Amino acid sequence: MMQDHTLYSRGGIITERNADYATVRVRVPAGALSAAQVKQLAKISEKYGDGSLHLTMRQTVEIPHVNPDNLVKIAKDLEKNGTPIGAEYNEVVNVMACPGTERCKYANCETIDLARKIDARVFGKELPIRLRIAISGCTYMCNSPLLNDIGIIGRIRPLRVPGLCTGCGTCAEYCKQCAIKLKNGVSVLDESKCVQCGICIHSCPYHLLKSEYAHYQITVGGRRGASPAAGRELVTVETEEEVVEVVDRIVYWVYRTAWSGRPLADQMDEIGYDRFAEEVRKEFGPEVPAEK
């Protein structure tokens, strides 16, 4: 009987150094799993692998040392568990996200449900290159969205109402950018240094600072590796729905224009990033000056 190797074409099936075995990567948007799913993954690993699980940098799970003869069975069990086979090749891979407002006191936006929405729209789409997406709830950017092909960052612009500041200095103490100073008994913000992290709003003991503009900053073209590069700011939008639409546009642009064999960061100008960015900004948000 001829063996079916169809599953080998899936990005989540990774041939190991010992080619007699494969590692199975799982699809876990935002790295969020229920305890029941984790228990079932352990059982699947014990049944088909070596009983171990590997947590990857991209917030997903790998089951090592799987016999390729069992790929069809393990794929069915993973699908039933709500943790289907993931992605690794030239496609949209696992969407990363920090805990967001669900748990992090510094976060400015919800992230996990947003990651699931983006996952549902673009995960696994075949592309000329591998595409990485990361969502951060604030500008501390614990999961390095600027070093991903698509970065999404939650930001809020602080609003100071004249006459209300008590001059306690708490916001100035907490501001890591040194963008706030006390002058004549009130806090004064240096807009040129402010990164819109929102920490001054969260830290104000009297709740006198408010949010003027909650939004998502979307960047394109970040890169990790030996020659890291920060992504370029594309646009800022205000809703999750707009984030998903912009991400979908970026993925389609990459699909239509990018060349294989080179990171997106290395070919942005060649494939017409400035023109693409102008079109996106006209449709989705306030225009941001293009990078030179």
Side-chain angles (χ1 to χ4, degrees), residues 212-241:
E212 182 181 22
Y213 176 47
H215 60 282
Y216 303 86
Q217 178 190 43
I218 301 176
T219 63
V220 181
R223 178 182 59 201
R224 294 180 181 272
S227 302
R232 307 183 196 181
E233 182 174 350
L234 173 64
V235 71
T236 59
V237 297
E238 298 182 40
T239 67
E240 288 190 352
E241 290 71 27

Side-chain angles (χ1 to χ4, degrees), residues 28 43 277:
V28 187
K43 291 179 181 179

Side-chain angles (χ1 to χ4, degrees), residues 68-261:
D69 292 340
N70 293 322
L71 287 179
V72 174
K73 295 177 181 177
I74 196 173
K76 289 181 179 178
D77 286 356
L78 288 171
E79 192 76 37
K80 185 177 179 180
N81 190 43
T83 54
I85 291 176
E88 168 62 13
Y89 297 151
N90 289 341
E91 51 197 339
V92 179
V93 299
N94 206 60
V95 181
M96 292 173 60
C98 71
T101 50
E102 181 179 322
R103 285 183 282 125
C104 181
K105 62 183 178 181
Y106 299 114
N108 298 318
C109 68
E110 191 283 327
T111 57
I112 295 177
D113 189 53
L114 175 57
R116 288 172 175 150
K117 290 177 180 178
I118 292 173
D119 169 270
R121 179 71 72 91
V122 301
F123 175 84
K125 286 196 173 184
E126 295 185 13
L127 299 170
I129 60 173
R130 183 181 302 145
L131 196 77
R132 301 173 176 89
I133 303 172
I135 307 169
S136 176
C138 74
T139 59
Y140 288 157
M141 296 183 277
C142 298
N143 56 354
S144 305
L146 286 178
L147 299 182
N148 282 256
D149 299 288
I150 302 176
I152 301 156
I153 305 156
R155 306 194 306 182
I156 50 177
R157 183 184 300 152
L159 173 65
R160 284 163 166 73
V161 180
L164 293 183
C165 181
T166 66
C168 72
T170 302
C171 58
E173 181 70 23
Y174 273 89
C175 180
K176 292 188 177 183
Q177 306 300 318
C178 299
I180 306 172
K181 292 184 178 179
L182 291 180
K183 293 184 179 180
N184 299 321
V186 297
S187 66
V188 178
L189 176 68
D190 183 344
E191 295 279 358
S192 66
K193 294 182 179 180
C194 179
V195 295
Q196 301 183 47
C197 67
I199 191 64
C200 59
I201 299 173
H202 302 315
S203 66
C204 180
Y206 304 107
H207 307 292
L208 300 178
L209 290 173
K210 305 299 180 183
S211 171
E212 182 181 22
Y213 176 47
H215 60 282
Y216 303 86
Q217 178 190 43
I218 301 176
T219 63
V220 181
R223 178 182 59 201
R224 294 180 181 272
S227 302
R232 307 183 196 181
E233 182 174 350
L234 173 64
V235 71
T236 59
V237 297
E238 298 182 40
T239 67
E240 288 190 352
E241 290 71 27
E242 289 175 310
V243 172
V244 175
E245 290 299 326
V246 171
V247 169
D248 192 49
R249 294 291 181 89
I250 297 170
V251 171
Y252 184 66
W253 169 67
V254 171
Y255 172 75
R256 290 293 303 272
T257 64
W259 299 90
S260 62

